[in-house]
Amino acid sequence: MNLLNISTSPHFHEKIDVKIVMWSVVGTLFPALIAAYIFFGWYSIFLTALGVITAVATEALIQHFRKVPITISDGSAVITGLLLSFNLPPNAPWWLPVLGSVFAISIGKQVFGGLGYNPVNPALLGRAFLMASWPVQMTTGWASKLAKASVVTVSGLKNSLIAGSGNESLQNLITSATPLNLAQQIRGDIADGVGGEAYRTIFDNLSSLDYIKSLFWGNVGGCIGEVSAAALIIGAAYLVYKHYIEWRIPVSYIGTVIVFSWMLGGIDGLFSGPILFHVFSGGLILGAFFMATDMVTSPVTKNGRIYFGLGCGILTVVIRLWGGYPEGVSYSILIMNLAVPLLDKITPQKTFGYRKKN
């Protein structure tokens, strides 16, 4: 006897599942991890391993006590630990990734019910927790090269550059500090009428071809995962090729940063900003391709994804240019995560079929 099977949608299934996508994302982050080892050494790998192990162990422990299936093999906790560690300075104390991963998994994910129910990106929430609790450790670990040159802060680097702008070794240190931090201070001084020609020279150097090359290939100051835009783009290209992430969010995000940083980010009025400097410095590439595209915390609708990227881009530029913190990627994505339900509601997908007119 023939049986008629009746089931609810979806009726067509892809051969991929959550586990395949998650472990693919983990694999595509390895080029950036290799770049971190090349430029920052073994300690950056140690910090990353601590973050991943802690995230996985925390998830397993909480799920054990909740008496729910332990799902650490799906790779989502590994990604949370990786991305959290990638947002830490390469010389951060060992306990930062441990505490950050515990917070990210417990408060950012499991307290809402686990994977699929978290309203914001857990790794970014963990980073925000660390930034609010230990701002000094979160912002000074990149300064090891500066310390060797007896320059301990970005302000000190700026003053040293102004005092001896012909000193090549100090000029090279620009790529050892966080370039966004230095650019923000120089731009603010020029806007206040404090800076002279030396300030302008430093700002111009930040957007020169040599520094853009350093930003693209690596050897710049910043967090572990931000060191090489090229390594991140290699991994992101694979995710786009396999359709594991969708192009609308990263394109609208980076495109918005390009337009608004060009319009407002310069020192010679409108439309004079250093575009490539803002694209390749900081965590824009990491955030646009690997964190803003999180399938749980990003819009479902196509137009909603474009508005999501647009909002992330505007907030990033606003924080970078006028905020109290030189990098705005993490907070912009977290804020837009909270707007996802609204974006999905106001940008409904066109439904199948139509109503026939009389």
Side-chain angles (χ1 to χ4, degrees):
M1 183 176 70
N2 295 327
L3 294 178
L4 178 63
N5 293 321
I6 300 176
S7 63
T8 58
S9 61
H11 303 292
F12 296 96
H13 299 271
E14 291 281 354
K15 293 181 179 178
I16 61 172
D17 55 20
V18 171
K19 184 181 290 187
I20 292 176
V21 174
M22 292 294 177
W23 284 110
S24 297
V25 174
V26 171
T28 55
L29 287 171
F30 263 82
L33 189 62
I34 294 172
Y37 164 71
I38 293 172
F39 294 111
F40 296 134
W42 279 109
Y43 190 68
S44 62
I45 306 298
F46 172 69
L47 291 178
T48 305
L50 270 182
V52 171
I53 293 171
T54 304
V56 173
T58 302
E59 179 144 293
L61 194 63
I62 292 176
Q63 289 179 330
H64 171 73
F65 284 112
R66 289 179 57 208
K67 300 185 187 311
V68 298
I70 296 176
T71 59
I72 56 174
S73 63
D74 65 12
S76 62
V78 174
I79 291 178
T80 299
L82 261 177
L83 291 177
L84 176 89
S85 303
F86 274 18
N87 279 279
L88 298 178
N91 293 332
W94 65 267
W95 45 266
L96 270 184
V98 173
L99 294 180
S101 291
V102 169
F103 188 90
I105 294 294
S106 59
I107 305 300
K109 185 178 177 184
Q110 289 299 323
V111 75
F112 296 102
L115 181 64
Y117 299 98
N118 49 293
V120 298
N121 188 301
L124 291 178
L125 189 66
R127 184 177 191 268
F129 164 70
L130 295 177
M131 277 295 297
S133 304
W134 296 280
V136 175
Q137 289 83 353
M138 285 292 291
T139 55
T140 57
W142 45 262
S144 59
K145 292 182 180 179
L146 298 181
K148 292 177 182 177
S150 301
V151 181
V152 295
T153 64
V154 171
S155 297
L157 172 61
K158 181 190 69 177
N159 294 333
S160 299
L161 287 167
I162 293 167
S165 57
N167 187 328
E168 186 177 353
S169 62
L170 283 177
Q171 292 284 357
N172 290 336
L173 284 176
I174 291 175
T175 54
S176 302
T178 52
L180 281 172
N181 197 344
L182 185 63
Q184 188 188 53
Q185 290 201 22
I186 293 289
R187 186 175 175 276
D189 289 341
I190 293 175
D192 293 338
V194 177
E197 195 59 32
Y199 286 71
R200 183 176 293 275
T201 301
I202 297 170
F203 193 88
D204 290 340
N205 284 340
L206 288 171
S207 57
S208 66
L209 182 60
D210 287 341
Y211 284 123
I212 297 301
K213 287 180 180 176
S214 295
L215 290 170
F216 182 75
W217 294 112
N219 198 25
V220 295
C223 296
I224 293 174
E226 302 170 354
V227 66
S228 173
L232 290 168
I233 290 173
I234 290 172
Y238 178 80
L239 294 179
V240 174
Y241 169 73
K242 297 292 290 186
H243 301 288
Y244 292 163
I245 62 174
E246 218 247 358
W247 62 268
R248 286 178 177 80
I249 290 177
V251 168
S252 58
Y253 190 172
I254 296 174
T256 303
V257 170
I258 288 174
V259 172
F260 281 89
S261 62
W262 176 50
M263 286 176 57
L264 306 169
I267 58 176
D268 294 316
L270 291 175
F271 305 106
S272 65
I275 295 173
L276 293 179
F277 170 76
H278 279 278
V279 171
F280 294 130
S281 58
L284 180 60
I285 301 297
L286 178 66
F289 286 100
F290 292 95
M291 293 188 284
T293 54
D294 177 18
M295 62 181 73
V296 177
T297 58
S298 59
V300 175
T301 64
K302 294 178 180 178
N303 289 337
R305 290 168 181 164
I306 292 176
Y307 293 138
F308 181 85
L310 183 67
C312 288
I314 292 174
L315 289 172
T316 296
V317 174
V318 168
I319 295 173
R320 282 184 174 184
L321 298 185
W322 298 290
Y325 182 58
E327 176 58 291
V329 170
S330 299
Y331 289 106
S332 66
I333 296 175
L334 279 174
I335 293 170
M336 290 307 298
N337 283 161
L338 299 176
V340 166
L342 176 64
L343 293 176
D344 279 334
K345 184 176 182 179
I346 64 176
T347 58
Q349 298 276 63
K350 186 177 181 181
T351 56
F352 290 109
Y354 63 93
R355 179 176 294 176
K356 189 175 182 180
K357 296 180 180 179
N358 293 327

